[in-house]
Amino acid sequence: MKAELRSLPRSLADLVAQHLVASGRFLDDDPERAYQHARTARRLAARLGGVREAVAITAYLAEHYDEALTEFRAVRRMTGNHEVLAMMADCERALGRPDKALALTKDKHVRELSEGTQIELLIVAAGARRDMGQTAAAIQTLEVPELTKRTRAEWLPRLRYAYADALEAAGRTEEALIWFHRAAGVDADGVTGAAERAARLEGLEFTDLDEDDTVVDDEYFEEEDALAEEEDALAEEEDALAEEEDALAEEEDALAEEEDALAEEEDALAEEEDALADAPAEDDKPEE
């Protein structure tokens, strides 16, 4: 991304970079806000592949699937990065097109992808099968050697969770319970919610704390204020940049007017020269 930003004027590159940093900061907690920052960066530097990828990912997380799909296609075209295929396929699913999602999972570049992306594609493919009412095919899609692999990779709990979920959908509750427990066993951060699903199948319930029991930290508000100040500063920089652009446009207009005036003077001089050339000389006057 730094290399791409070097292709821009310094002031513009700094502004784009600030919006991208802000987008990354809000990515987990406020995807819509992150998406808006990424869109601003695209408005300023739409020809940069890194900027288009930021828009694609934030649009995807903010559930703007149509725009995300368009941007992911642009990323593949501009950068040759095919790691976005899993998110593209998931967008097609979200838009109610499981057949197109399955087509993307069979793309010719799939074999070139990282292991994690290939697993994500399997999960999306299984989901597409379930969307089409093919639960048995979904289960079969996920029955891969990686299910029992010993690894700390982020995709493992997601793979096991998807497999357990498909088993439960097929009515194979006892097997589903086993795999929810296995997913929970490798999901240290509880991202998948596998432990809760296992508890429900066992007849247990998790109780959430009441809202009144939630303690709000003052530091949260301080951070929000700081972020708001940063956004104000970015807006001021954008206004300054717009003013500079207007000033440049005015200078260009003034220059164009001067050029027109010069052209008119040249035309007038040319006419005078033509008139002098056409006038008869003294010696050429007829004798009386």
Side-chain angles (χ1 to χ4, degrees):
M1 190 67 241
K2 287 182 179 179
E4 289 186 334
L5 288 173
R6 289 194 195 102
S7 66
L8 301 175
R10 181 63 183 273
S11 59
L12 181 59
D14 289 343
L15 189 56
V16 171
Q18 287 170 359
H19 278 291
L20 292 177
V21 169
S23 178
R25 182 176 297 160
F26 291 117
L27 198 58
D28 293 329
D29 299 326
D30 193 346
E32 182 62 33
R33 202 168 178 182
Y35 166 66
Q36 294 302 329
H37 277 290
R39 284 189 68 189
T40 302
R42 181 184 63 186
R43 181 171 58 79
L44 297 169
R47 295 181 180 179
L48 301 187
V51 169
R52 302 298 288 272
E53 186 170 357
V55 178
I57 292 171
T58 54
Y60 171 70
L61 294 175
E63 299 182 3
H64 301 293
Y65 298 114
D66 265 325
E67 185 169 2
L69 201 52
T70 300
E71 292 301 312
F72 280 131
R73 288 178 184 138
V75 169
R76 289 187 73 187
R77 185 178 65 255
M78 294 167 71
T79 68
N81 176 15
H82 303 293
E83 292 291 327
V84 299
L85 273 169
M87 287 182 282
M88 290 179 68
D90 204 31
C91 286
E92 293 288 10
R93 268 198 72 203
L95 292 168
R97 302 192 291 249
D99 52 335
K100 290 187 176 182
L102 283 174
L104 281 171
T105 66
K106 298 172 184 177
D107 188 278
K108 63 181 181 180
H109 294 285
V110 168
R111 291 184 181 181
E112 304 166 14
L113 303 178
S114 63
E115 184 179 40
T117 303
Q118 289 190 32
I119 295 297
E120 291 296 334
L121 274 172
L122 280 179
I123 294 170
V124 174
R129 291 291 184 191
R130 288 181 60 182
D131 293 342
M132 299 166 75
Q134 302 170 3
T135 307
I139 292 171
Q140 189 176 5
T141 299
L142 296 168
E143 288 177 336
V144 291
E146 286 79 6
L147 266 176
T148 55
K149 192 171 183 178
R150 291 186 177 182
T151 177
R152 293 183 179 179
E154 293 181 0
W155 50 260
L156 184 59
R158 285 178 46 74
L159 176 63
R160 290 182 175 180
Y161 181 90
Y163 185 57
D165 192 41
L167 288 170
E168 185 182 7
R172 295 161 62 175
T173 309
E174 291 183 6
E175 293 173 82
L177 180 59
I178 291 170
W179 282 101
F180 277 131
H181 277 300
R182 288 180 179 176
V186 293
D187 188 5
D189 298 325
V191 175
T192 62
E196 289 86 344
R197 291 289 297 275
R200 282 199 202 96
L201 286 178
E202 291 173 332
L204 302 175
E205 289 186 5
F206 282 83
T207 304
D208 293 331
L209 292 172
D210 292 333
E211 290 183 5
D212 294 339
D213 296 332
T214 304
V215 178
V216 180
D217 196 339
D218 289 340
E219 290 182 2
Y220 171 81
F221 294 104
E222 290 175 4
E223 186 178 346
E224 284 290 306
D225 291 339
L227 289 171
E229 287 177 6
E230 286 183 18
E231 287 186 349
D232 291 339
L234 286 172
E236 287 176 7
E237 288 184 20
E238 284 183 7
D239 292 340
L241 200 66
E243 287 176 7
E244 286 180 18
E245 289 176 355
D246 291 340
L248 284 170
E250 287 176 6
E251 287 180 15
E252 287 177 0
D253 291 341
L255 218 74
E257 288 176 6
E258 286 180 16
E259 288 177 356
D260 291 341
L262 285 170
E264 287 176 5
E265 287 180 15
E266 287 177 359
D267 291 341
L269 285 170
E271 287 176 6
E272 287 180 16
E273 288 176 359
D274 291 341
L276 288 170
D278 293 339
E282 290 289 332
D283 295 340
D284 294 338
K285 289 182 180 179
E287 293 182 5
E288 293 182 0

